[in-house]
Amino acid sequence: MQRPPLDRAQRLALLTDMLLIRAFEDRVTQLAHEQGRLPGMQITCHGQEAVAAGVVRALTPEDVVVTNHRGHGHLLARGVDPNALMAEIMGRRDGLNRGKSGTLHLADPSRNVLMTSTVVGAAPPLAVGAAFAQRYRGEKAATCVFFGDGAAAEGSVHEAMNLAGVWKLPVLFVCESNCWAGAQAHREHCPIGRIADRAASYGMPGEAVDGNDVEAVHEAALDLLEGRRAGHGPALLECRTYRMHGHGEHDPQHYVDKAELAAWAGRDPIVRYAEVLRRDGLLDAVEPLAVHASGIVDAAVAFADASPYPPPEEALEHVYANPIAREV
Amino acid sequence: MAVKSMGQAVAEALGLALEMDANVFLAGEGVGASIHVNPHLPTFGLLERFGPERVRDTPVSEAAIAGLAVGASCMGLKPVVEVMFFPFITLASDMIVNHAAKLRYLSGGLSNFPLTVRVKSGAFSAGCQHSHYLEAWLAHVPGLKVAYPSTPADAKGLLLSAIFDPDPVVVIEEMPLYWSIHAEAPEGDQRVPLGKARIARLGADATLATYGGAVHVALKAAEMLAEEGLSLEVVDLRSLLPLDTATVLASVRRTGRFLALHDATRFCGFGAELVATVAEACHGELKAPPRRVAAPDIPVPFTPPQEAFYKPSAEAVARAVRELVRG
């Protein structure tokens, strides 16, 4: 597809997004290791920032995002308020979802981040429903759903792709192939290796890109989204990347080959892209941008720290649209 | 009012909802083009009336059907999806239990899921992979609502309430009732509220609470008991969640005796909840310990004499009432 090359502002925006995601999650990692600062487990997309920034920057405001447990990057790239996000991760009253979600079930319908499912493989069927609604109402919009290569083993992902394929729904299935499903390596759970090849089974285009090359991801997403909005049915984009941290911050990665990890660290998507922009004369140094991102995160942590925990009895709210009266 | 079969009453509610609100659509396996040609089946004729955009046949794919409902409802549509037989809800249960029921809560109240799952229940000589009364599973999930009609008027009225309710509702329809029960049902948009029980028969000696096809068994038992001079009050719960405890307890306080009846197996069945609720609230007012009449703890059998053995009979209900009243 022929389109003008990305301009300076667009290219800097991709880098800025990735820097914010990295700064935000580096702080989450740090806080996770400080006892008592963050309840529960923390799951980051460290190393996968190019997928979040590249795909989400290709969406229009009308497009819908459905994501999974590794979703901070998708939300930040979508413009979700970092203060509310950090407060939610900390379980605070002013969190995005009033402390009901934590890191795992974030939703921001105001930005069309429709929902997050942390049941592995459950996001694609939900996305099919959202895309059906878009098509039913005749909207020129698409639904973008993120899932991992581990999730691709779930039957629900097959059912979702099959239904989207047979009904020609505007879904972009984005598989973040990060080489790991828990402690299981990609080759141990995926007999064909290249998940994009499965697209053929559902009558949709499938494309695999270098998931650590933000412009490659972005261009592929722009192309595929255009086709989805134009009514050509679903598509599958496989972004081949690497999960640099463990499944969560509590996972010491004892099963990971250190040489493999070092090799992927050498392909860090942020370092790579900063170098490209410097070479192209668009950037003198990345430090000022990183400092700016770090400032946003400082403010987010301060905001979250200042917000109290919600009162325990608020746990009773939001089960139903209107509370159910119980008379005994 | 006109006499309708229960299946026709369901079809009338679905047709009305499709007419009234463009956000309503139907989806499921065979809801449009069915292998059956039977005017008492609940989606009969709707594809011809409303077209394939609004009455959608899906692949054999329960997780995808339920996911479709959750995603579409969150976007503002009002999906009405069908799970062909109750045991198959296990294939859709992740979407219903972990998503439809929980995502409003997890979003801190930002998300809405006004969806309806219609599921066909009942025993119909197909064996236990097609027959399994799982209503207690669903009623145990906060965030869901569960309706279980016994008459054409309620099948229509509860379904309309479910479709226009802001929360996910599972409506359980007993398939044999589609054609075996014919009764008057009102014309037009006449709704039956969720969480409001119906006194199906007034009585003075004992209160029986039940739902679905068992209501008709209870009424038959009440007729038999009346000939012996015993007066049984029958409460048709209509919905299990929300549960109209007020109507049940008021009835028990009048009669002083209680028994619960259902076609589901006894252990951890919905009757246990009813008996516990009554015991907690009315302990000092009861003239006898509350009782349950339910199926034995076995899968639903296939062969007709065993299937009949499985389901509590009017005779078994009458026997339990006699023991409850006469000690």
Side-chain angles (χ1 to χ4, degrees):
Chain A
M1 226 167 281
Q2 215 46 41
R3 73 164 56 81
L6 299 175
D7 63 24
R8 178 174 188 273
Q10 289 168 320
R11 301 180 82 190
L12 283 174
L14 290 172
L15 181 65
T16 306
D17 280 356
M18 291 197 289
L19 286 166
L20 176 61
I21 297 166
R22 179 69 59 87
F24 188 95
E25 291 200 319
D26 278 351
R27 196 70 57 90
V28 166
T29 299
Q30 181 199 327
L31 292 173
H33 293 291
E34 291 176 19
Q35 287 296 319
R37 291 300 297 280
L38 295 176
M41 67 185 119
Q42 299 303 329
I43 297 177
T44 70
C45 68
H46 195 113
Q48 302 175 212
E49 295 87 349
V51 183
V55 173
V56 174
R57 280 266 167 196
L59 302 174
T60 67
E62 291 74 32
D63 291 334
V64 160
V65 175
V66 179
T67 181
N68 58 49
H69 54 280
R70 217 172 289 284
H72 298 157
H74 310 140
L75 272 74
L76 288 167
R78 193 63 171 160
V80 170
D81 176 15
N83 291 357
L85 191 57
M86 189 61 85
E88 184 59 44
I89 292 169
M90 289 179 143
R92 303 309 171 98
R93 192 186 63 191
D94 298 299
L96 190 61
N97 305 115
R98 302 188 66 84
K100 290 277 200 335
S101 161
T103 184
L104 290 177
H105 317 94
L106 301 155
D108 188 354
S110 73
R111 282 181 173 69
N112 269 335
V113 178
L114 205 61
M115 44 195 159
T116 297
S117 175
T118 53
V119 178
V120 171
L126 303 170
V128 163
F132 174 81
Q134 291 170 321
R135 224 269 311 271
Y136 188 85
R137 291 199 286 242
E139 295 170 6
K140 291 273 174 266
T143 296
C144 175
V145 57
F146 294 94
F147 60 103
D149 50 321
E154 289 279 359
S156 53
V157 175
H158 156 78
E159 288 195 28
M161 289 187 177
N162 191 58
L163 188 61
V166 78
W167 286 3
K168 301 226 173 305
L169 298 177
V171 191
L172 179 60
F173 294 97
V174 180
C175 181
E176 296 191 62
S177 267
N178 67 14
C179 299
W180 291 100
Q184 198 174 36
H186 186 87
R187 65 182 174 280
E188 294 173 310
H189 66 74
C190 183
I192 60 166
R194 197 174 177 278
I195 285 166
D197 288 348
R198 294 190 187 169
S201 319
Y202 311 108
M204 64 170 94
E207 195 177 324
V209 293
D210 177 351
N212 282 24
D213 177 344
V214 70
E215 286 196 9
V217 171
H218 189 60
E219 295 284 353
L222 283 170
D223 286 347
L224 290 172
L225 283 162
E226 226 169 80
R228 303 330 16 112
R229 297 189 201 103
H232 299 161
L236 171 58
L237 175 61
E238 180 181 7
C239 300
R240 313 204 71 162
T241 179
Y242 199 83
R243 191 188 78 192
M244 293 302 294
H245 288 195
H247 171 71
E249 296 306 299
H250 53 291
D251 168 4
Q253 291 178 288
H254 56 279
Y255 47 86
V256 177
D257 178 351
K258 298 298 170 279
E260 182 179 284
L261 201 57
W264 279 94
R267 302 172 57 190
D268 185 291
I270 299 177
V271 175
R272 263 172 82 180
Y273 197 50
E275 185 50 40
V276 169
L277 295 189
R278 210 165 21 231
R279 197 189 56 215
D280 288 355
L282 300 180
L283 185 70
D284 293 329
V286 76
E287 283 72 22
L289 292 178
V291 166
H292 178 70
S294 174
I296 293 172
V297 175
D298 287 342
V301 173
F303 174 85
D305 274 334
S307 177
Y309 284 117
E313 56 275 15
E314 267 189 28
L316 301 174
E317 295 178 3
H318 308 308
V319 181
Y320 296 96
N322 303 300
I324 284 183
R326 290 196 188 276
E327 189 179 339
V328 174
Chain B
M1 298 251 272
V3 171
K4 290 157 201 157
S5 72
M6 195 146 150
Q8 287 169 328
V10 174
E12 204 172 285
L14 294 172
L16 207 55
L18 286 161
E19 263 173 26
M20 286 193 297
D21 190 339
N23 288 317
V24 174
F25 74 95
L26 312 187
E29 298 159 13
V31 300
S34 169
I35 57 170
H36 304 285
V37 183
N38 182 342
H40 300 293
L41 283 178
T43 52
F44 181 81
L46 295 174
L47 173 65
E48 290 71 23
R49 265 178 79 195
F50 295 96
E53 285 302 307
R54 305 201 56 205
V55 180
R56 303 203 59 102
D57 279 318
T58 65
V60 182
S61 216
E62 281 78 8
I65 294 166
L68 170 78
V70 181
S73 66
C74 193
M75 293 283 283
L77 300 189
K78 296 187 178 75
V80 184
V81 298
E82 180 177 300
V83 172
M84 197 177 260
F85 298 118
F86 213 162
F88 305 171
I89 209 160
T90 55
L91 296 162
S93 59
D94 172 52
M95 284 294 144
I96 295 170
V97 173
N98 291 318
H99 294 88
K102 293 179 184 169
L103 287 172
R104 172 194 293 282
Y105 191 73
L106 287 170
S107 72
L110 297 180
S111 304
N112 294 292
F113 300 92
L115 65 93
T116 304
V117 179
R118 290 181 40 251
V119 59
K120 289 189 226 161
S121 182
F124 41 92
S125 292
C128 58
Q129 286 187 339
H130 282 64
S131 297
H132 195 164
Y133 299 84
L134 292 168
E135 63 272 17
W137 286 19
L138 298 168
H140 197 57
V141 179
L144 290 184
K145 294 179 180 176
V146 181
Y148 204 141
S150 69
T151 67
D154 283 357
K156 178 179 172 184
L158 287 169
L159 182 54
L160 283 167
S161 290
I163 293 171
F164 295 104
D165 193 272
D167 294 310
V169 185
V170 181
V171 182
I172 302 164
E173 297 166 4
E174 280 188 45
M175 201 172 70
L177 303 187
Y178 284 149
W179 47 82
S180 70
I181 299 292
H182 294 69
E184 289 200 332
E187 304 301 319
D189 181 16
Q190 295 291 323
R191 300 186 196 180
V192 173
L194 300 168
K196 187 80 198 102
R198 172 179 77 97
I199 308 279
R201 181 185 172 110
L202 279 166
D205 295 325
T207 296
L208 181 153
T210 188
Y211 46 89
V215 170
H216 303 285
V217 173
L219 291 172
K220 192 175 162 202
E223 288 290 330
M224 291 161 54
L225 290 162
E227 289 168 19
E228 304 166 24
L230 284 178
S231 164
L232 178 65
E233 180 146 310
V234 177
V235 179
D236 178 355
L237 295 172
R238 288 168 154 169
S239 75
L240 308 187
L241 179 60
L243 177 65
D244 184 0
T245 49
T247 294
V248 174
L249 295 179
S251 171
V252 173
R253 288 185 171 121
R254 274 201 313 276
T255 64
R257 297 180 183 90
F258 180 71
L259 81 163
L261 167 69
H262 51 63
D263 290 340
T265 47
R266 176 186 167 97
F267 188 76
C268 289
F270 197 72
E273 177 64 35
L274 292 170
V275 164
T277 300
V278 166
E280 279 181 340
C282 307
H283 177 67
E285 303 160 72
L286 291 172
K287 297 171 192 159
R291 295 188 55 145
R292 285 174 285 170
V293 178
D297 293 321
I298 55 171
V300 176
F302 159 69
T303 187
Q306 289 186 358
E307 196 179 73
F309 166 81
Y310 170 91
K311 288 179 72 159
S313 62
E315 289 73 18
V317 174
R319 201 178 317 127
V321 174
R322 279 185 216 113
E323 288 168 8
L324 191 64
V325 176
R326 293 175 183 155

